[in-house]
Amino acid sequence: MTEDATERQARHSARMAKKKAVVDAAIAAATDARGLLLVVTGNGKGKSTAAFGMVARALGHRLKVGVVQFIKSRTDTGEEAFLGPHTEWHVTGDGFTWDTQNREQDIATAQRGWAIAARMLADPAYQLVVLDELTYLLSYGYLDADTVLDALVQRPAMQHVVVTGRAASDALIALADTVSVIADEKHAFRAGVQAQPGIDL
Ligand code: ATP
Ligand code: MG
């Protein structure tokens, strides 16, 4: 190595050693193990798929997983075909509210889905529960926000929950342990590309 390169290498090593010390200390300080509430929100694509990625991880560790898909009515998604048989998977929606155009029916459907979710949130046998698109039921007022928040607070101590959907409420975000907001920089749909199997469903 030239003298320049040797010096650069030494500076790099010193910087990395310092960084490693900081990261190691942070890892050593993180000693809690408990059930987490994760919220994946924002207008960008990737909320539900993030949740299903965690389902795959959890199944790799042999955890018992429950999934409730609110809003969505289609049962032909790749995620359900692949992960469904290894989980307890419920699709409880009738589609978006502009599809049904019937508030009473939407509320009844929401309540039906919530009954399944509430049962899972009360049962420590479920180690990961995914409540996909739950945020919409709260923002449309189809479910009582306090009822939902109470069930999340009172769930079993070791149970993980992932909530997805746009516009998560401040109360839900405050309650969550990990919150990711996915931004919408670009989406192929706006360039006229229809939903693609494997990517969008
Ligand atoms: P995904 O299921 O792909 O992770 P998501 O859960 O973040 O997406 P949803 O609002 O639930 O987003 O919408 C699901 C469907 O709508 C998917 O087909 C997705 O590709 C599409 N979609 C998501 N975000 C956008 C967007 N910003 N513009 C257009 N279509 C979108
Ligand atoms: Mg989604």
Side-chain angles (χ1 to χ4, degrees):
M1 266 193 278
T2 64
E3 209 166 300
D4 249 17
T6 312
E7 208 173 281
R8 218 171 25 238
Q9 176 59 43
R11 267 205 314 274
H12 177 77
S13 298
R15 232 181 3 246
M16 286 303 128
K18 215 187 259 170
K19 198 173 193 139
K20 178 171 162 42
V22 170
V23 172
D24 286 352
I27 291 172
T31 54
D32 287 9
R34 61 183 169 82
L36 297 174
L37 173 61
L38 298 95
V39 172
V40 189
T41 189
N43 293 335
K45 170 183 159 52
K47 299 175 290 294
S48 297
T49 41
F52 301 139
M54 285 180 266
V55 169
R57 279 192 168 164
L59 291 174
H61 292 284
R62 304 267 177 270
L63 303 191
K64 181 176 168 69
V65 178
V67 176
V68 184
Q69 288 195 286
F70 297 95
I71 307 281
K72 217 149 269 174
S73 57
R74 65 189 310 161
T75 55
D76 60 347
T77 62
E79 57 267 28
E80 187 181 356
F82 192 70
L83 298 169
H86 306 287
T87 68
E88 187 185 325
W89 194 292
H90 298 270
V91 178
T92 63
D94 299 316
F96 271 95
T97 191
W98 51 81
D99 291 326
T100 64
Q101 297 181 12
N102 182 335
R103 189 175 157 86
E104 290 311 305
Q105 182 189 321
D106 286 349
I107 291 173
T109 305
Q111 301 284 359
R112 238 184 359 260
W114 174 249
I116 299 169
R119 172 175 59 74
M120 291 177 173
L121 293 175
D123 183 350
Y126 295 92
Q127 294 163 292
L128 171 64
V129 177
V130 172
L131 305 176
D132 188 38
E133 325 294 352
L134 176 69
T135 58
Y136 300 99
L137 308 195
L138 299 174
S139 36
Y140 296 152
Y142 293 172
L143 294 178
D144 176 55
D146 287 336
T147 303
V148 171
L149 293 172
D150 283 352
L152 289 170
V153 168
Q154 275 153 36
R155 77 187 191 281
M158 294 307 292
Q159 185 181 75
H160 302 303
V161 177
V162 184
V163 174
T164 81
R166 295 181 189 201
S169 68
D170 292 344
L172 184 61
I173 285 174
L175 188 62
D177 299 286
T178 297
V179 179
S180 298
V181 184
I182 300 187
D184 177 26
E185 286 283 335
K186 256 188 175 186
H187 194 291
F189 181 69
R190 290 198 292 279
V193 182
Q194 56 182 219
Q196 298 294 298
I199 299 297
D200 297 297
L201 71 151

